[in-house]
Amino acid sequence: MVIFLKNIEGEGKERILKELESIVGSEYVSSSREITFLYHWDFVTAEEPGRCDFVVMPSSTEEVQEIVRLANREKIPVIPWVSGMNFGGICIPRKGGIVVDLRRMNKVLEVNEDDMYAVVEGGITWGDLKGYLEKHHPNLRAGITWSPAGTGVIPSYICYGMLDLGFIGGTGAEFINGLEVVLPTGEIVRVGSCMCTNYWLGRAPLPDLVGLFIGWDGTTGIVTKAGIKLWPNLPRKDFIIIADTVDTGVKIFRKLAKAGLGIVDMCFLNYVWLCSLQGYREDENMPFEPEKTGGNDFYGLVTITAYTEKEMEAKSESIMKIVDEEGGLVADIETVIDMFSENEKENLLTLTNLPIHFYGVWNFSRGGGGEWVGSYISSRHVAQYYEIARSIAKKYGKHACMYGRVMFGGHHWIARVNINFNKNDPEDVERARKCLMEIDENVRKLGSVIRYKAPPWAKKRNLEKANPTALELIRKIKSLLDPNGIMNPGHEM
């Protein structure tokens, strides 16, 4: 049984603080409440705040190793942290302990143009990575999530983040070629091809140990380096596809996914999310049902790339033909955006220039709070998911901001509904929490829903009907890797 140090105070706290200072330097450690307070929440979550005792900012794998060795010896919880721009409370410290802030470890260590990969440190952000590639390797690009430039790359990848190359490449997890990880015992392990060679080019044909660190929410180790796939930075063209309902739009997307057009990304928003992008607020008497305004409820973004103009023209012609046959409207994004005001144009154009901070999405409700019921799901259930979520949100006086993405050639989809709230209004936070939990409960009845970046209560629901033998295997693996249970406690499966 693991017994954590509770309320570390007095001589014990001072001793641990001095040991951390000896590892990274006094300017990169703090136990003051003014500093640790900043790490008790994540980006916009409705989850309860946590508490940590120390924040430490290492600059190397070796410093991370020494921190973890100290924590393991003293049985102090360790919470990996990059930017805090996360959801579901994944990086909220639940049991006190040490938050390991990796933001100083933000370098691109290598780019292999022949094999199209980069080796990066665990604290790199989208802004760091994109800026480096644009300057030094403009013929290559990374897959990027719809998130601010300060968001961590590696957390997005190991938590199955959705990238703007997701249709061609899959989730962030599929973009990982290999990892260097500090295990909870303080040992350093490399997995993937880098286990046997100096190349970080892939995971085959070895036993795929990378999976020991994907989807575990930082409970099996701290990633200090990663080899990630890059892709050719080819000319692109973006199309806006509009349909009257989400159901019609899903059918159009499903047909496009099977057409073999070299699409690299397919995603969509509903009417409410589009309104938030244009700066509307939830308290401005917006209708819950777009059909009452005479508007459409599906706004898709489809991106293609091509090597030649003739190839681009042929792909464009096929997209337009399919959308027309299925009863939708289609135009290139520049044509559509020209219909909006100058302020709205700038906001909407960011859809094609990631990373971004969506103006309005988390300020749709005054107070800047929000959380989602984000799910990996069968395409058969996406439209039903939306109708269930929209109906429940309306009951709570909330608007369902819907977003979806088609992944890995259409083999699975993402459906996600955001519920906004005022973080400064406890009643509104509680109303949003109840709304989220009721949506979660009901969409699971569709049969294919698995939550991603799930808060602890939703993570438990993910596993309620799981194969018991698989669950026992997960527990054995966790116990083997982390015998003292120090890694991100409270977030285990």
Side-chain angles (χ1 to χ4, degrees):
M1 177 180 178
V2 177
I3 302 175
F4 293 124
L5 290 175
K6 298 291 185 180
N7 299 318
I8 307 172
E9 296 295 345
E11 292 183 5
K13 187 170 187 177
E14 188 64 27
R15 174 178 57 82
I16 293 166
L17 180 64
K18 287 188 178 302
E19 289 198 50
L20 291 172
E21 288 176 345
S22 71
I23 295 170
V24 301
S26 59
E27 66 269 41
Y28 297 114
V29 184
S30 181
S31 61
S32 73
R33 292 186 178 182
E34 292 82 359
I35 299 298
T36 59
F37 175 83
L38 302 174
Y39 294 82
H40 292 174
W41 288 267
D42 62 12
F43 185 31
V44 292
T45 184
E47 291 295 303
E48 294 295 330
R51 178 191 64 82
C52 66
D53 299 286
F54 309 94
V55 175
V56 58
M57 298 176 65
S59 63
S60 67
T61 298
E62 291 72 26
E63 289 182 356
V64 174
Q65 181 182 36
E66 290 305 309
I67 294 164
V68 174
R69 281 176 173 168
L70 166 63
N72 192 51
R73 184 183 73 237
E74 301 286 347
K75 296 184 174 60
I76 302 173
V78 175
I79 302 92
W81 196 96
V82 174
S83 69
M85 292 183 185
N86 216 320
F87 294 83
I90 291 173
C91 59
I92 292 177
R94 304 284 180 187
K95 307 281 187 179
I98 304 168
V99 170
V100 180
D101 183 341
L102 298 168
R103 74 176 78 189
R104 293 175 67 205
M105 299 175 61
N106 65 344
K107 299 181 185 66
V108 177
L109 302 173
E110 176 191 353
V111 172
N112 182 318
E113 291 210 358
D114 294 329
D115 299 319
M116 293 188 295
Y117 69 78
V119 181
V120 300
E121 292 186 308
I124 198 166
T125 67
W126 293 121
D128 297 326
L129 179 60
K130 185 176 182 182
Y132 183 91
L133 292 175
E134 287 181 345
K135 182 177 181 179
H136 299 286
H137 303 275
N139 59 321
L140 293 173
R141 58 158 300 186
I144 300 177
T145 59
W146 276 8
S147 56
T151 306
V153 174
I154 303 308
S156 297
Y157 281 6
I158 62 177
C159 289
Y160 294 104
M162 299 164 290
L163 314 177
D164 63 343
L165 294 174
F167 186 81
I168 190 172
T171 74
E174 279 80 39
F175 278 57
I176 298 173
N177 288 346
L179 298 173
E180 177 187 85
V181 184
V182 176
L183 299 179
T185 56
E187 300 163 287
I188 299 173
V189 63
R190 284 191 175 184
V191 291
S193 62
C194 62
M195 179 174 73
C196 301
T197 77
N198 292 326
Y199 288 80
W200 297 62
L201 51 79
R203 287 147 65 173
L206 302 164
D208 193 2
L209 300 181
V210 173
L212 294 173
F213 311 101
I214 292 173
W216 293 75
D217 295 344
T219 63
T220 53
I222 300 179
V223 176
T224 51
K225 294 184 181 71
I228 58 172
K229 289 181 173 66
L230 302 177
W231 297 78
N233 193 15
L234 297 171
R236 62 183 283 170
K237 189 168 186 178
D238 300 283
F239 294 90
I240 296 291
I241 295 171
I242 301 174
D244 54 349
T245 66
V246 170
D247 183 54
T248 300
V250 166
K251 290 174 181 175
I252 293 171
F253 265 30
R254 193 183 287 127
K255 188 168 183 178
L256 286 171
K258 296 176 181 178
L261 296 174
I263 293 169
V264 298
D265 191 25
M266 298 177 69
C267 53
F268 68 89
L269 308 173
N270 72 331
Y271 159 83
V272 173
W273 201 323
L274 184 67
C275 288
S276 73
L277 286 177
Q278 296 174 66
Y280 292 99
R281 289 188 181 272
E282 193 167 37
D283 55 4
E284 291 175 347
N285 297 317
M286 282 179 52
F288 286 90
E289 298 89 358
E291 50 268 26
K292 290 185 178 180
T293 70
N296 298 289
D297 204 16
F298 180 95
Y299 299 86
L301 177 67
V302 173
T303 302
I304 58 175
T305 61
Y307 192 74
T308 66
E309 288 187 16
K310 184 174 288 188
E311 179 188 0
M312 189 75 82
E313 290 172 3
K315 290 179 177 180
S316 301
E317 181 183 351
S318 296
I319 287 173
M320 291 182 174
K321 183 175 186 296
I322 289 171
V323 176
D324 182 64
E325 289 173 347
E326 296 298 314
L329 301 173
V330 59
D332 63 81
I333 193 169
E334 289 82 5
T335 300
V336 174
I337 287 178
D338 278 343
M339 300 166 59
F340 291 87
S341 69
E342 288 302 316
N343 288 339
E344 292 168 341
K345 283 181 185 179
E346 182 178 353
N347 208 19
L348 292 168
L349 276 171
T350 59
L351 293 169
T352 64
N353 187 28
L354 305 182
I356 60 173
H357 184 81
F358 278 134
Y359 169 78
V361 171
W362 301 116
N363 291 310
F364 186 42
S365 175
R366 295 184 189 275
E371 195 169 310
W372 64 45
V373 179
S375 307
Y376 280 77
I377 189 172
S378 166
S379 64
R380 296 175 178 177
H381 298 143
V382 171
Q384 293 170 273
Y385 170 101
Y386 174 56
E387 292 303 324
I388 291 169
R390 186 170 75 154
S391 175
I392 293 171
K394 181 180 178 181
K395 185 175 77 171
Y396 286 89
K398 297 290 182 181
H399 288 78
C401 296
M402 175 70 173
Y403 156 61
R405 211 159 202 150
V406 188
M407 306 295 290
F408 226 153
H411 289 92
H412 55 271
W413 287 44
I414 303 292
R416 185 176 106 193
V417 166
N418 290 8
I419 299 297
N420 294 71
F421 54 87
N422 185 344
K423 288 190 288 188
N424 302 312
D425 182 347
E427 290 185 4
D428 195 34
V429 172
E430 184 59 26
R431 183 164 58 252
R433 183 180 289 116
K434 289 179 179 178
C435 178
L436 289 158
M437 295 183 81
E438 188 171 335
I439 291 172
D440 178 276
E441 178 182 0
N442 283 274
V443 296
R444 288 179 187 275
K445 296 173 183 177
L446 295 170
S448 68
V449 168
I450 303 176
R451 288 285 301 275
Y452 71 95
K453 294 185 182 177
W457 61 266
K459 190 179 297 181
K460 290 179 181 177
R461 290 181 178 181
N462 276 350
L463 302 175
E464 283 177 352
K465 298 180 181 179
N467 176 272
T469 307
L471 288 179
E472 182 59 26
L473 179 60
I474 286 172
R475 294 187 185 104
K476 288 179 180 178
I477 292 170
K478 166 65 174 167
S479 178
L480 175 67
L481 294 174
D482 186 11
N484 286 320
I486 66 166
M487 285 303 307
N488 208 10
H491 298 279
E492 305 91 342
M493 294 188 182

